[in-house]
Amino acid sequence: MIHIPYVAGGSVVLGALYNQVTGALVYGPLFGKVWLDAMNKDKGGEGWMGKDAPKNHMPVLLLKEFFLNLGKSWFTGLLLNLTQARTMSQAAQLGAFLFFGVLVPSIASETMWEKRPIDVQKFKLLSGLSSTVVLACLMHWWGTE
């Protein structure tokens, strides 16, 4: 039988809000122009963004992203509780294991097989580091149990 431990809802919401805000900052005012140029280069133009989409398209995408962030935060809290991470160092280690064990190989594979531009991959690495190591530490600080 699989044991699924409780994960504090406040921690999950905090984690989702953290991911949403940091994503908005990284892909917006901080590095938005660089990211957009890299994506346009990768996709061969600006058509990938759906310029013909209805005006209400962006709020719907942001809401969907928030629900994905809730799931990401819940699973991070689940792993923190399953591994019984009791210190900030242990939370950071869990985040680092996720980053280096799952995200980095996936991004490297995309670069090899899909010939994704390194500029796009840098953003994935930055976002991934934030949503693994920093997220695990933030959720540990708040409390997941």
Side-chain angles (χ1 to χ4, degrees), residues 4-5 8 12 14 18 22 26-27 32 34-35 49 54 56 70-71 75 77-78 88 91 96 100 104 109 123 130 139:
I4 301 176
V12 172
L14 177 69
Y18 165 77
T22 56
V26 167
Y27 294 102
V34 176
W35 173 74
M49 194 66 171
N56 64 351
L70 283 171
F75 276 104
L78 179 77
M88 189 64 74
F100 288 108
V104 170
S109 178
F123 282 100
S130 174
M139 290 182 70

Side-chain angles (χ1 to χ4, degrees), residues 40-85:
N40 287 340
K41 180 180 175 186
D42 181 42
K43 301 296 182 189
E46 297 179 8
W48 68 273
M49 194 66 171
K51 298 287 184 195
D52 299 329
K55 296 284 185 205
N56 64 351
H57 187 63
M58 189 57 73
V60 171
L61 287 176
L62 290 173
L63 182 63
K64 289 178 181 179
E65 185 70 20
F66 182 72
F67 281 108
L68 291 170
N69 284 325
L70 283 171
K72 189 184 304 185
S73 297
W74 183 80
F75 276 104
T76 300
L78 179 77
L79 289 173
L80 285 167
N81 291 346
L82 280 172
T83 59
Q84 299 178 0

Side-chain angles (χ1 to χ4, degrees), residues 76 79 91-108 121-136:
T76 300
L79 289 173
Q93 286 175 337
L94 173 67
F97 291 149
L98 290 171
F99 179 72
F100 288 108
V102 178
L103 288 175
V104 170
S106 295
I107 292 168
Q121 302 305 65
K122 287 178 190 176
F123 282 100
K124 286 186 176 187
L125 287 169
L126 176 63
S127 175
L129 182 68
S130 174
S131 68
T132 54
V133 178
V134 180
L135 177 64

